[in-house]
Amino acid sequence: MPGSPSTPDASAARSPAERLSLPEQPTPRPGMAWDLWGDGSQGAHLPRGARTIAKTLLKGTPHPVPRRDPRSVAVSPSRLSAGDLAALSAVGDVDLDVADDIRRLHLGGKSTPDLLRRRLEDRATAPDAILFPGGHDAVLAILRTCAERGIAVVPLGGGTSVVGGVEPEAGGFGRVVAVDLSRTAALLDLDEVSLLATFGAGTTGPQTEELLGRRGLTLGHFPQSFEYASLGGFAATRSSGQASRGYGRFDDLVHALRVATPAGELALGVAPASAAGPDLRALILGSEGAFGIITEVTVRVRPIPAHTAYGAWTFPDFAAGEGALRELTQAGIRPTVLRLSDESETKVNAALGGHLLRLGGALAVATFEADGAGEAERVREETAAVFARHGARSRGEDPARSWERGRFASPALRDSLLDIGVLAETLETAATWSRLAALKSAVTEALTTTLAAHGTAPVIMCHISHVYPSGASLYFTVVAALTEDPLAQWADAKAAASRAITAAGGTVTHHHAVGRDHRDALEPEIGGLGVEVLRAVARTLDPHGIMNPGVLLPPSAPAS
């Protein structure tokens, strides 16, 4: 019985000093610079091996694209009328800013084309105002006001989209505001019995771990964007996270969502499981702000594991490693992190680390978290036994530990490569195991052929970072000399890769979301009727079509 000596109530058992005082605010964190991945405080530098790779492996004449003084880039003037500004300023618990330097920081996402435009173009289209709401009710009021006045709305968490998901596109409305959710960062509620935590959607990855870590808990979601991306963004893009094998994708971690839409509030998720009709949370997970703005996220958390073991192995080739990962996954063996680099990526990463001859073949790294050292070691031994059957050779712990230390650093390396005229961009997909090899070959050929037509011979690298019983992801990194028209260079390559993915039976995106970049490839994947279902949802939740025009679905004309 609740409250009986044998089953004490967890909150009642605490002393007054130990009881939670919520909401609890995290330590503020800087946002990203307008033209970089990161806040710019660390300073850009290239590892010694990166320059070696650029000189010896890349063919073609590189065209450096240096950074520029932000004052040399004209920001579009705000198009909001005095009436618009008065109406938005009247919304309670909202800070409004129309300064150019603030609007410049909200130009959009952080794909390589985004960064190239900020280095190449003399004019930038910025949101007409930036709104900083303090919570759910303020977001609802913003959306009501914008719907009434015909103003488009773009939600912004960390601004880390690499697929055109947060561009300040006004659609047919003529004005667009960005809703920056950073003020909502907070731990709002914690059920330590059920291991559920509710956060404001603007809480970043590090802030989440800080707030949970004070209580010995973790969410365990660590995508490469972890340092800057927000929980609302993780939900809106169906993020995967590098520890997806152990913890699950972000949609596996979501218990409940609170969403502000132009039509009203959606509060989704009551019980740990339900048969009460279709799961409406699935309509919001991956919706990218096209239906409304996620304001609160309730996630499943767990105690911080007491022990972590590490392992690394090299396989004779990628095919052998792929077979090992498939057997391991289908046997139900669950490392926390499991990654396999192909021969090209293994070689390049070794060179970046200054170990030109140390590693060959295809490198797999894994981590194993558990409450007890014995359990972590048991899973590592099970993994090693499966890998040995596929010709793997143990490389100890160092490669896995090295990967973990630098796992959030790669996006910033891209900035330094642009400085010396090197394109570095990524794309990802997933398919069933039976289609994976053909998919990898098709995408590699499409990228190589298209970039060759632009006069450069690229280095194409690939790794598996997410595995399932039925298949796995493929994450490609493309490195090439920048041409005189780098935007066209990458646009052609990305389009060719997307066509190859669709033809080979892969998904157009495994964890980067649809955005504007993949929008045209959505219908071939989900069908015309599937697109109409999404349109119907959008019409219901956003009757005037103000939400993030152009994302996920082609924009509709404003309602008359």
Side-chain angles (χ1 to χ4, degrees), residues 41 62-63 92 108 142 178 193 221 277 308 320 382 396 406 425 463 479 508 542:
S41 64
H63 292 76
I142 288 170
V193 175
H221 190 70
T308 302
E382 291 177 345
E425 186 58 303
H463 67 250
V479 182
V508 70
D542 178 22

Side-chain angles (χ1 to χ4, degrees), residues 429 431 435 438-439 442-443 446 495-508 521 524-525:
T429 180
R435 291 178 171 177
L439 175 62
V443 174
S498 294
R499 290 192 297 270
I501 287 169
T502 298
T507 177
V508 70
E525 183 164 331

Side-chain angles (χ1 to χ4, degrees), residues 391-416:
R393 176 183 175 187
S394 175
R395 296 292 182 171
E397 296 186 354
D398 286 350
R401 290 182 179 272
S402 177
W403 168 82
E404 186 177 72
R405 286 192 298 269
R407 60 178 166 168
F408 305 129
S410 294
L413 177 62
R414 178 184 53 172
D415 301 319
S416 300

Side-chain angles (χ1 to χ4, degrees), residues 262-460:
E265 175 184 331
L266 276 176
L268 305 172
V270 175
S274 172
D279 188 350
L280 294 182
R281 290 173 300 183
L283 285 174
I284 302 302
L285 293 166
S287 62
E288 303 183 53
F291 304 151
I293 297 179
I294 297 167
T295 58
E296 297 176 13
V297 184
T298 300
V299 289
R300 300 178 179 92
V301 299
R302 65 189 73 190
I304 296 172
H307 298 275
T308 302
Y310 298 84
W313 297 263
T314 49
F315 292 90
D317 52 37
F318 187 73
E322 178 190 320
L325 265 61
R326 176 172 58 84
E327 180 180 338
L328 190 79
T329 305
Q330 292 178 343
I333 300 170
R334 300 187 69 94
T336 306
V337 170
L338 182 61
R339 299 170 68 88
L340 172 70
S341 295
D342 70 1
E343 296 89 336
S344 178
E345 186 170 280
T346 298
K347 180 179 179 180
V348 169
N349 285 342
L352 288 174
H355 309 302
L356 293 174
L357 301 176
R358 181 175 295 180
L359 295 175
L363 175 69
V365 297
T367 69
F368 309 87
E369 296 180 353
D371 290 334
E375 175 63 16
E377 182 59 34
R378 181 187 65 79
V379 180
R380 180 168 62 180
E381 290 176 354
E382 291 177 345
T383 299
V386 172
F387 284 4
R389 291 197 288 273
H390 293 262
R393 176 183 175 187
S394 175
R395 296 292 182 171
E397 296 186 354
D398 286 350
R401 290 182 179 272
S402 177
W403 168 82
E404 186 177 72
R405 286 192 298 269
R407 60 178 166 168
F408 305 129
S410 294
L413 177 62
R414 178 184 53 172
D415 301 319
S416 300
L417 289 170
L418 291 178
D419 294 341
I420 64 169
V422 176
L423 166 77
E425 186 58 303
T426 64
L427 57 91
E428 36 72 53
T429 180
T432 57
W433 291 110
S434 59
R435 291 178 171 177
L436 211 61
L439 175 62
K440 182 177 185 292
S441 177
V443 174
T444 300
E445 181 179 357
L447 290 168
T448 301
T449 302
T450 306
L451 289 168
H454 282 263
T456 181
V459 174
I460 312 294

Side-chain angles (χ1 to χ4, degrees), residues 56 80 88 108 114 151 253 302 319 331 421 446:
T56 60
L80 294 175
L88 291 169
D114 291 332
I151 301 171
L253 302 175
R302 65 189 73 190

